[in-house]
Amino acid sequence: MSRAADIAPQNPAEALVLKTLRLTWPFYFVGALYVVGPVLAWVLGGLAALSLYLGKAIRPDLRPRGTIPPVVWAWIAGMAVMLVALWVGHVDWGLGLKQTIKSSIGWAKGWALLALFPFVGAVLPIRREILVRGQCIIGLWTLALLPILVAAPYAGLPEKIFTSPLKAVGGPGPEYFSVYFFTWDPASWTPRWQFYAPWSPFAALLGVVQVCFALEEKNIRWRSIGLAAGAAMILFSKSRMGLVGLVACTVGPRLLPLILRGWAWKALAAATASLAVIGAALAQAAKDAVATFKGARADSTRVRETLQRIAGERWRNEAFWFGHGTVHPGPHLVEYMPIGSHHTWWGLLFVKGLVGMLALLVPLVWQTLIALVDATRSKRGHLPLGIVMTMILLSFGENIEIEAYMLWPGLMILGIHAAEVAQDSRQRTATGKMLPCAAN
C-alpha cells in the first residue's frame, strides 16, 4: 500500500516534511511530538529566510516561490505583537525576569508557530500533495493501531503507558509528553481515545483535519485510508465539537460555489419565505438541539462556561489592554482548572488583553476571507477554508497556541494557499498592464 502511487519529495524541505509526517506515531511513542513541532518550525523557518536572502544563489529546488504574501506578513506581525503584549503584561504584574524568559520560550513553542508555518508554506517550494499524502500515511498508522487501542480498556491494560523524560524541556503539562492507550471519562466512566493528541477533544479536531486533507488525495486507496482514520478519531474520541467539525468543515467549503448559481438564490428565497410558516418550530428545534449538545457533557460545559465568565470579569476589571501575563489557578468551582484556559479568545483577553486578542483576530479573519473568496471560485480554496474553519472551531474550546505543534500541516497549507492567491493577483496585474501596451 505504501508504494502505491508513491509521491517522491523533490527537495530537502519536502523530504523533511514528509519524513516528519510519516514518523508522527513513532514520535508519539517516545513522547516527542511537542518537541518535534517547534524544532521543525524554526528549522524550516530558518531555511525559508535563507532562501529569501540568497534568492537565485541558492540551489534551484529551494528557491522561494515569490515575495511574502501580505496575509503572511499579518501573521508575522500579529505573533510579534503577542510577544510584546506578553512582555508588557509581565512587567505590569511584576512577574520577574525568570518568569518572563520562561514565558518567552513558551511563545517560541506556541504562538510563534502560527506565523512560522504559514511563512514556510508561502516561501519554500513544498507541494500540497506532499502534505496530503503525509496525512494519509498518519491515517494508515492510526487504522493499524486502532484494534489495539480499542481493545486496551477491555483487556485490562492501563490508561497511561509512560511519561517521556523529554518533559524536562518544559511544556504546558505532562500530558504533552505522555503515551496513552485510552482515558476514562470521569462523567460516564466509559473509555475515550485520544490517539496521538494530549486529550480526546483535540484528537477529534485532528480527525477533522485528517478528513479535510484526505478529501484532497487523488489516489482512491490513500483517500479511503485517510477518511476512515479521520472518522475513527472523531467517533472514538467521543467529542461533540468533532462531530460538528466533521460536517461543517468538510461540507461547508464545498457548498460555497452554489452561491454563484442562480438556482441556489431562488432556492434560498423560497426557503426564506417558508420561514414565516415553520420559523418558530425551527427556532425551537435549534434551541432543543443546543440544549442536548450541552447536556451531553453537562459537567464539562459548566466548567468551561464558568472559566469564561471569570476570565471575562477579571480581564475587564483588572487588565484590559495587556492582560495578566500568564494564566492563574482557578478555584474549586472550576475544578482548579487555570483561568485563561479552555478557550482561545477568553484566554487571550485574560492573559494578553485586548491587544493580544486583536493580534490573532486580524490575521485569522484576513486568512478566512481569502479562503472564503477562493473557495467560491475554485476547488483550490476548499482545503484552506476547511483548515481555518477547524481552527476557529478549535479556538472556542481549546487554547490554540499550545496545540499549534500538531496543526502545522494545516498552517503550512494556509501559507501555500496565500502564495497561490498572491501569484494569481500578480499575474492579473501584469496582464492588465500589458493590455494597453498591446493596444498601442
Side-chain angles (χ1 to χ4, degrees), residues 15 33 43 74 84 103 187 242 339 423:
L33 280 178
V43 168
V84 173
S103 298
I339 301 169
Q423 184 178 9

Side-chain angles (χ1 to χ4, degrees), residues 69-364:
V71 70
V72 175
W73 275 119
W75 281 110
I76 295 171
M79 297 311 105
V81 169
M82 286 283 189
L83 182 59
V84 173
L86 182 150
W87 289 339
V88 173
H90 279 61
V91 171
D92 285 347
W93 291 88
L95 297 180
L97 180 61
K98 181 179 178 180
Q99 181 61 45
T100 301
I101 294 173
K102 181 179 178 181
S103 298
S104 299
I105 294 173
W107 170 88
K109 295 186 293 183
W111 289 115
L113 274 57
L114 295 180
L116 285 170
F117 282 120
F119 170 64
V120 169
V123 173
L124 293 179
I126 299 171
R127 293 168 294 159
R128 284 184 182 221
E129 292 82 2
I130 289 290
L131 292 162
V132 169
R133 179 57 57 85
Q135 283 288 148
C136 290
I137 292 173
I138 295 176
L140 182 59
W141 274 94
T142 301
L143 292 181
L145 294 167
L146 187 61
I148 300 173
L149 297 175
V150 172
Y154 307 104
L157 296 177
E159 296 178 64
K160 184 167 71 174
I161 302 174
F162 75 100
T163 298
S164 172
L166 288 171
K167 70 177 182 179
V169 303
E175 62 270 20
Y176 285 79
F177 303 95
S178 299
V179 183
Y180 293 86
F181 278 123
F182 65 96
T183 55
W184 291 108
D185 184 349
S188 60
W189 205 245
T190 57
R192 299 177 77 185
W193 288 265
Q194 57 201 69
F195 299 90
Y196 49 88
W199 48 71
S200 298
F202 184 30
L205 271 298
L206 289 177
V208 174
V209 171
Q210 175 83 40
V211 172
C212 290
F213 270 96
L215 288 171
E216 302 290 315
E217 174 60 62
K218 295 180 175 60
N219 182 280
I220 189 170
R221 286 181 289 179
W222 279 114
R223 182 166 66 246
S224 300
I225 288 170
L227 292 174
M233 291 179 70
I234 294 167
L235 294 175
F236 283 96
S237 65
K238 300 181 181 179
S239 168
R240 302 164 295 169
M241 192 179 297
L243 294 173
V244 172
L246 179 61
V247 177
C249 302
T250 58
V251 177
R254 286 157 179 80
L255 292 179
L256 275 178
L258 295 179
I259 68 174
L260 299 180
R261 300 180 184 180
W263 65 264
W265 285 102
K266 294 176 182 177
L268 180 62
T272 303
S274 68
L275 289 178
V277 179
I278 63 173
L282 286 177
Q284 185 59 46
K287 291 179 181 179
D288 293 342
V290 171
T292 302
F293 182 81
K294 292 183 175 181
R297 294 179 58 80
D299 290 341
S300 174
T301 299
R302 176 189 60 79
V303 169
R304 289 175 183 272
E305 289 178 347
T306 305
L307 276 173
Q308 292 163 24
R309 187 180 70 252
I310 294 173
E313 290 174 354
R314 292 191 58 183
W315 159 66
R316 284 188 293 268
N317 297 327
E318 300 173 3
F320 186 82
W321 291 108
F322 293 99
H324 292 79
T326 184
V327 296
H328 288 186
H332 174 69
L333 180 64
V334 292
E335 301 174 10
Y336 305 106
M337 294 288 184
I339 301 169
S341 65
H342 291 76
H343 197 289
T344 295
W345 304 105
W346 286 116
L348 270 175
L349 289 171
F350 182 82
V351 177
K352 293 183 173 63
L354 184 63
V355 171
M357 200 248 332
L358 292 176
L360 175 62
L361 182 64
V362 171
L364 183 59

Side-chain angles (χ1 to χ4, degrees), residues 44-58:
L44 288 178
L47 183 59
L50 182 65
S51 174
L52 282 173
Y53 177 75
L54 295 178
K56 292 184 178 180
I58 201 170

